[in-house]
């Protein structure tokens, strides 16, 4: 884990609004269907240099409230896609390698444990957090901090 400063990144993709509680129940979970649609409909439009992201944005409050999840890439364009920005700022970076989607699930567990710890040196901003998929088995999560 390390503190990173990012410049703004323009992305486009598809989104859903959900909560962490909704994602714990298969009947109400939306994120896996979002990614299935992204890879089914949009992956043919990706080029070899595309960076694929999962954005968590428009937080209602904190991790207990609703938020938007955007499956997106920095190389997509099209009238049926939503355009978003990963805002410039300070982010704490976490990384993990393993079988997807379990690697992402495990890494979010590390994120939540870190920010729940009394020894945590950072405060979450709850602005925009994001996953960056480095390969089929490597993911990085960036959490915006104050």
């Amino acid at each position: 884990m390390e503190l990173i400063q990012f410049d703004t990144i323009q992305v486009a993709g598809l989104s859903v609004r959900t909560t962490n509680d909704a994602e714990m129940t298969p009947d109400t979970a939306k994120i896996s269907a979002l990614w299935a649609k992204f890879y089914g409909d949009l992956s043919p439009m990706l080029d070899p240099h595309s960076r694929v992201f999962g954005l968590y944005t428009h937080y209602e409050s904190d991790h207990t409230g609703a938020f938007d999840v955007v499956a997106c890439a920095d190389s997509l364009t099209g009238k049926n896609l939503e355009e978003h920005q990963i805002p410039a700022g300070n982010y704490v970076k976490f990384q993990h390698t393993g079988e997807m989607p379990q690697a992402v699930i495990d890494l979010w567990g590390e994120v939540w444990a870190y920010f729940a710890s009394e020894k945590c040196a950072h405060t979450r901003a709850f602005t925009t957090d994001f996953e960056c998929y480095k390969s089929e088995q490597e993911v990085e999560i960036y959490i915006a901090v104050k």
Side-chain angles (χ1 to χ4, degrees):
M1 178 217 28
E2 63 182 298
L3 185 64
I4 303 274
Q5 186 166 19
F6 259 96
D7 291 329
T8 301
I9 302 171
Q10 301 293 335
V11 295
L14 309 169
S15 72
V16 295
R17 188 142 183 93
T18 190
T19 64
N20 282 321
D21 283 346
E23 293 304 313
M24 298 300 160
T25 306
D27 291 345
T28 57
K30 299 177 182 178
I31 295 175
S32 61
L34 172 69
W35 281 107
K37 183 166 179 54
F38 176 87
Y39 281 110
D41 295 351
L42 302 180
S43 65
M45 298 166 53
L46 299 175
D47 67 51
H49 303 291
S50 295
R51 293 183 296 172
V52 174
F53 299 97
L55 267 58
Y56 296 77
T57 190
H58 301 120
Y59 285 95
E60 179 179 72
S61 56
D62 58 16
H63 64 280
T64 62
F67 52 90
D68 291 343
V69 180
V70 186
C72 55
D74 61 355
S75 63
L76 293 173
T77 58
K79 66 180 180 179
N80 294 329
L81 299 177
E82 301 170 21
E83 294 183 5
H84 292 270
Q85 256 187 9
I86 299 173
N90 292 320
Y91 295 83
V92 176
K93 173 185 166 183
F94 299 81
Q95 57 189 45
H96 195 67
T97 302
E99 189 75 25
M100 299 296 173
Q102 192 60 48
V104 177
I105 294 166
D106 293 347
L107 191 52
W108 273 108
E110 289 179 33
V111 169
W112 294 328
Y114 173 77
F115 284 100
S117 169
E118 292 178 12
K119 297 178 183 178
C120 180
H122 302 96
T123 302
R124 285 188 69 178
F126 290 103
T127 51
T128 298
D129 304 316
F130 63 97
E131 303 157 346
C132 179
Y133 293 89
K134 305 298 281 183
S135 71
E136 290 183 12
Q137 295 204 335
E138 184 180 4
V139 63
E140 297 173 343
I141 294 179
Y142 295 84
I143 303 296
V145 293
K146 295 179 182 177

